[in-house]
Amino acid sequence: MTADAQVQGVPQVVAEPPTRLPMVVAPTVALAACGLGMWSWATLLALVWHSPAWATVPLHTLAVVALFTVLHEAAHHAAGSLTWVNGALGRVTVPFVSPFGGFPAARYVHLTQHRSGSPEHLTPWNTRGPAWTLPLRWATVDLWYAWRYLSTPRRPTAESAETLGMLVFLPCVLAAVVGTGHGWELAVVYLVPQRLALALVSWCHDWRPRRRPTGYHRMHAERPGRPFYRYTAIPLPRSPESAAPATEAPSEFHPLTVTGVRSLTGEAVAVTLAVPDGLREVFRFAPGQHLVLRAEIDGEPVERSYAICACPDEPELRVAIKRVPGGRFSGYAMGLRLGDRVLARPPSGTFTLRSEPRHVVAVAAGSGIAPVLPVVVHLLEKSPRSRVTLLYVNRSGDDTLFADELSEYARRFEGRLRVTHYRTDERDPSLRYARGTRPFDSIGQALAISYERYLPGGLDPGRIRGLLEARLHPSKVDEWLLCAPPEVAGPVRAALAEHAVPDDAVHVEHFHRP
């Protein structure tokens, strides 16, 4: 964000709170145990007691359907809040459902379906083509999944390696079983029930919803991260009244007196403005809102919008202004002195959170921290059960706004605020200090717990995906704050969409260059 960047709030829809999950969802684990138990029992019947195929194939088919349900839950991270639990359940169940591919590939393709815009996320392979081919298509839908994944470029290396490994390993095992003369047993125990189960779930989840959508499919499209056993009601359509009204920017300007100018960096200052007693209600603000300031420069009125970086209980307003090369207002603001008067329009904007989310992730770059910081501090002060993860991108430590304040807040909130600093200048001295080369001033400092991390490089798409697939998985985050230039905000928003984060959970401040 530049000093002359205009900040505009985007009204967000007030949505149903995200589904809260325990660390392990017991019904899903129980379903996995039942499916594996039924599959094992049917295998004993077929191979040890030589029961007829008409008795064992239905049992195997039902077991695979149950394991498919567990796989589907794990793909949506609905088997628990622990990422490794979902990964383990997905990897355990996927070989029973298909020998072609692995869990990460199936998860990626299925979540891509959810982003396709179809309310029932239909699989084209299962819904198109001549009617007589549909049963064959239903029974081979896993081949379509494998083809879709292999035709997708630039997937993460580890994910692609696991998929290719499974594509080689499982078919080789099946070929070895057939080569030892057990082809009939393999067909009865594994291949035929698997194909029947895939045909059944494809008919149920793809073909039938195209003709008669059910409450389950509408609910699943609305809240894909909700566990299967919680689909007890059909969500009502959102009415226009449910949207948070946008706050219109007032048109009247009022003169405010400069009572403080503090240097934040060599190219940024914090300007404090006193509010007269008669205007306190007019200038009452919510964290995340902004002021429009006006000044006459070279005989011409110039207006710029700046985020309020004070908290609502402070008696004065404060904005951070960063110099922009060629920026008219920022150059003027750098010369402000105590006692100067600046015209200001009352606060406006909708860059705010819903009431007391449990976990918020904030992404800021440069002076984008200005609207984010008061929102974060206000939440942590008013809601002791909330916590915030801040990802903050800067060129170097010398360019970082509110660096000391962030360190103080991280200590004060004792782990409820965790900050990761990304420094695009990898020669930044603060990176060396963060790695521990600077000597400690005391034993207490050496033993102190740090809630700040410093990483070289920016917040690139690979890093974003890595965070979203691990400790910042969308199922662990209630809301997202994003205030950064397009080169940072664009990849973040794309990654959030790729991981099926609802738009109403992402609060964005847009930057417009002067």
Side-chain angles (χ1 to χ4, degrees), residues 5 9 19 64 83 86 109 239 293 371 382 404 413 433 496 503:
T19 302
V64 175
T83 302
N86 291 273
V109 176
S239 61
L293 304 182
K382 301 301 182 183
D404 293 338
F413 294 116
Y433 298 155
L496 293 177
D503 289 340

Side-chain angles (χ1 to χ4, degrees), residues 52 80 84 102 112 118 133 206 220 262 292 326 368 376 401 416 498:
W84 71 265
T112 301
S118 171
T133 66
D206 282 332
H220 182 56
R262 179 168 67 93
V292 175
V376 166
L401 275 62
R416 292 198 297 127
E498 180 180 324

Side-chain angles (χ1 to χ4, degrees), residues 135 137-141 194-204:
R137 288 169 173 266
W138 297 341
T140 57
V141 66
Q194 185 183 80
R195 298 301 110 184
L196 291 175
L198 286 177
L200 179 61
V201 297
S202 296
W203 174 83
C204 178

Side-chain angles (χ1 to χ4, degrees), residues 157-168:
T157 303
E159 180 184 283
S160 300
E162 180 177 342
T163 300
L164 293 174
M166 295 295 290
L167 277 171
V168 173

Side-chain angles (χ1 to χ4, degrees), residues 18-32:
T19 302
R20 299 196 182 282
L21 299 175
M23 289 190 293
V24 179
V25 175
T28 302
V29 175
L31 183 64

Side-chain angles (χ1 to χ4, degrees), residues 1 7-8 286-290 306-310 318 320 351-352 362-377 401-402 481-484 508-511:
M1 180 178 180
V7 184
Q8 296 180 350
Q289 290 189 312
H290 58 269
Y306 295 100
I308 302 172
C309 52
R318 186 169 59 255
F351 187 59
T352 56
V363 180
S367 55
I369 191 66
V372 168
L373 187 59
V375 176
V376 166
V377 173
L401 275 62
F402 303 112
L481 294 170
L482 178 57
C483 194
V508 180
E509 285 286 65
H510 290 291
F511 287 57

